[in-house]
Coordinates of all heavy atoms in Angstrom, one line a residue:
L1 N -105.4 69.9 155.0 CA -105.1 70.9 154.0 C -105.4 72.3 154.4 O -104.7 73.3 154.1 CB -105.9 70.6 152.7 CG -105.9 71.5 151.5 CD1 -104.4 71.6 151.0 CD2 -106.8 71.1 150.4
L2 N -106.5 72.5 155.1 CA -107.0 73.8 155.5 C -106.1 74.5 156.6 O -106.0 75.7 156.7 CB -108.4 73.8 155.9 CG -109.5 73.5 154.8 CD1 -110.8 73.2 155.5 CD2 -109.6 74.7 153.9
T3 N -105.6 73.7 157.5 CA -104.9 74.2 158.7 C -103.4 74.0 158.6 O -102.6 74.7 159.3 CB -105.4 73.6 160.0 OG1 -105.0 72.2 160.0 CG2 -106.9 73.7 160.1
G4 N -102.9 73.0 157.8 CA -101.5 72.7 157.8 C -101.0 71.8 159.0 O -99.9 71.5 159.1
F5 N -102.0 71.4 159.8 CA -101.7 70.5 160.9 C -102.1 69.0 160.5 O -103.0 68.8 159.8 CB -102.4 70.9 162.2 CG -102.0 72.2 162.7 CD1 -102.8 73.3 162.7 CD2 -100.7 72.4 163.3 CE1 -102.4 74.5 163.2 CE2 -100.3 73.6 163.8 CZ -101.2 74.7 163.8
D6 N -101.4 68.0 161.0 CA -101.7 66.7 160.8 C -102.6 66.0 161.8 O -103.5 65.2 161.5 CB -100.4 65.8 160.7 CG -99.6 66.1 159.4 OD1 -100.3 66.4 158.4 OD2 -98.4 66.1 159.5
D7 N -102.4 66.4 163.1 CA -103.1 65.7 164.2 C -104.5 66.3 164.3 O -104.7 67.5 164.3 CB -102.3 65.9 165.5 CG -102.9 65.1 166.6 OD1 -102.5 63.9 166.7 OD2 -103.7 65.6 167.4
P8 N -105.5 65.5 164.5 CA -106.8 66.0 164.7 C -107.0 67.0 165.8 O -107.7 68.0 165.7 CB -107.7 64.7 165.0 CG -106.9 63.6 164.3 CD -105.5 64.0 164.4
A9 N -106.2 66.8 166.9 CA -106.3 67.7 168.0 C -105.9 69.1 167.6 O -106.4 70.1 168.1 CB -105.5 67.2 169.2
D10 N -104.8 69.2 166.8 CA -104.3 70.5 166.4 C -105.2 71.1 165.4 O -105.4 72.3 165.4 CB -102.9 70.3 165.8 CG -101.9 69.8 166.8 OD1 -102.0 70.2 168.0 OD2 -100.9 69.1 166.4
I11 N -105.8 70.3 164.5 CA -106.8 70.9 163.6 C -108.0 71.5 164.3 O -108.4 72.6 164.0 CB -107.2 69.7 162.6 CG1 -106.1 69.2 161.8 CG2 -108.4 70.2 161.7 CD1 -106.4 68.0 161.0
A12 N -108.4 70.7 165.3 CA -109.6 71.2 166.1 C -109.2 72.5 166.8 O -110.0 73.5 166.9 CB -110.1 70.2 167.0
A13 N -108.0 72.5 167.4 CA -107.6 73.7 168.1 C -107.5 74.9 167.2 O -107.9 76.0 167.7 CB -106.2 73.5 168.8
F14 N -107.2 74.7 166.0 CA -107.1 75.9 165.0 C -108.5 76.5 164.9 O -108.6 77.8 164.9 CB -106.6 75.3 163.7 CG -106.6 76.3 162.5 CD1 -105.5 77.1 162.3 CD2 -107.7 76.5 161.8 CE1 -105.5 78.0 161.3 CE2 -107.7 77.4 160.7 CZ -106.6 78.2 160.5
Y15 N -109.5 75.7 164.8 CA -110.9 76.3 164.6 C -111.5 76.8 166.0 O -112.2 77.8 166.0 CB -111.8 75.3 163.9 CG -111.4 75.1 162.5 CD1 -110.9 73.9 162.0 CD2 -111.5 76.2 161.6 CE1 -110.4 73.7 160.7 CE2 -111.1 76.0 160.3 CZ -110.6 74.8 159.8 OH -110.2 74.6 158.6
L16 N -111.1 76.1 167.1 CA -111.5 76.6 168.4 C -110.9 78.0 168.6 O -111.6 78.9 169.1 CB -111.1 75.7 169.5 CG -111.9 74.3 169.5 CD1 -111.3 73.4 170.5 CD2 -113.4 74.5 169.8
D17 N -109.7 78.2 168.2 CA -109.1 79.5 168.4 C -109.7 80.6 167.5 O -109.6 81.8 167.9 CB -107.6 79.4 168.0 CG -106.8 78.6 169.1 OD1 -107.3 78.4 170.2 OD2 -105.7 78.2 168.8
Q18 N -110.4 80.2 166.4 CA -111.1 81.1 165.6 C -112.5 81.5 166.1 O -113.1 82.4 165.6 CB -111.2 80.6 164.2 CG -109.9 80.6 163.4 CD -110.1 80.3 161.9 OE1 -111.2 79.8 161.5 NE2 -109.1 80.6 161.1
G19 N -112.9 80.8 167.1 CA -114.3 81.1 167.6 C -115.3 79.9 167.6 O -116.4 80.1 168.1
A20 N -114.9 78.8 167.1 CA -115.8 77.7 167.1 C -116.1 77.1 168.6 O -115.2 77.3 169.4 CB -115.3 76.5 166.3
E21 N -117.2 76.6 168.8 CA -117.5 76.0 170.1 C -117.3 74.5 170.1 O -117.0 73.9 171.2 CB -119.0 76.3 170.5 CG -119.3 77.8 170.6 CD -120.8 78.0 170.9 OE1 -121.6 77.0 170.9 OE2 -121.1 79.2 171.2
A22 N -117.4 73.9 169.0 CA -117.1 72.4 168.8 C -116.6 72.1 167.4 O -117.1 72.7 166.4 CB -118.4 71.6 169.1
V23 N -115.6 71.3 167.4 CA -115.0 70.8 166.1 C -115.1 69.3 166.0 O -114.7 68.6 167.0 CB -113.6 71.3 165.9 CG1 -113.0 70.8 164.5 CG2 -113.5 72.8 166.0
V24 N -115.7 68.8 165.0 CA -115.8 67.3 164.9 C -115.2 66.9 163.5 O -115.6 67.4 162.5 CB -117.3 66.9 164.9 CG1 -117.3 65.3 164.9 CG2 -118.0 67.4 166.2
I25 N -114.2 66.1 163.6 CA -113.4 65.7 162.5 C -113.7 64.3 162.1 O -113.5 63.3 162.8 CB -111.9 65.8 162.7 CG1 -111.6 67.3 163.1 CG2 -111.0 65.4 161.6 CD1 -110.1 67.5 163.6
K26 N -114.2 64.1 160.8 CA -114.6 62.8 160.3 C -113.4 62.0 160.0 O -112.5 62.4 159.3 CB -115.5 63.0 159.1 CG -116.8 63.6 159.4 CD -117.5 64.2 158.1 CE -117.0 65.5 157.8 NZ -117.7 66.2 156.7
L27 N -113.3 60.8 160.5 CA -112.2 59.9 160.3 C -112.6 58.6 159.5 O -111.9 57.6 159.6 CB -111.7 59.4 161.7 CG -111.3 60.5 162.7 CD1 -110.9 59.9 164.0 CD2 -110.2 61.4 162.1
G28 N -113.6 58.7 158.7 CA -114.0 57.6 157.9 C -114.5 56.4 158.7 O -115.3 56.6 159.7
A29 N -114.0 55.2 158.4 CA -114.5 54.0 159.1 C -114.0 54.0 160.6 O -114.6 53.3 161.4 CB -113.9 52.8 158.4
D30 N -113.1 54.8 160.9 CA -112.6 54.9 162.3 C -113.5 55.8 163.2 O -113.2 55.9 164.4 CB -111.1 55.4 162.4 CG -110.1 54.5 161.7 OD1 -110.4 53.3 161.8 OD2 -109.1 54.9 161.1
G31 N -114.5 56.4 162.6 CA -115.4 57.2 163.4 C -115.1 58.7 163.4 O -114.9 59.2 162.3
A32 N -115.0 59.3 164.5 CA -114.8 60.8 164.5 C -114.1 61.2 165.7 O -114.3 60.7 166.8 CB -116.1 61.5 164.3
Y33 N -113.3 62.3 165.6 CA -112.7 63.0 166.8 C -113.5 64.2 167.0 O -113.8 65.0 166.1 CB -111.2 63.3 166.5 CG -110.6 64.2 167.5 CD1 -110.0 63.7 168.6 CD2 -110.5 65.6 167.2 CE1 -109.4 64.6 169.5 CE2 -109.9 66.5 168.1 CZ -109.4 66.0 169.3 OH -108.8 66.8 170.2

């Protein structure tokens, strides 16, 4: 919702481009990217 991207890698890249050093995306029972 926040980035408009579907893939976790693209979502993470969005925040890395903003200045984050690490992005961790919660995937529920599947763990985390």
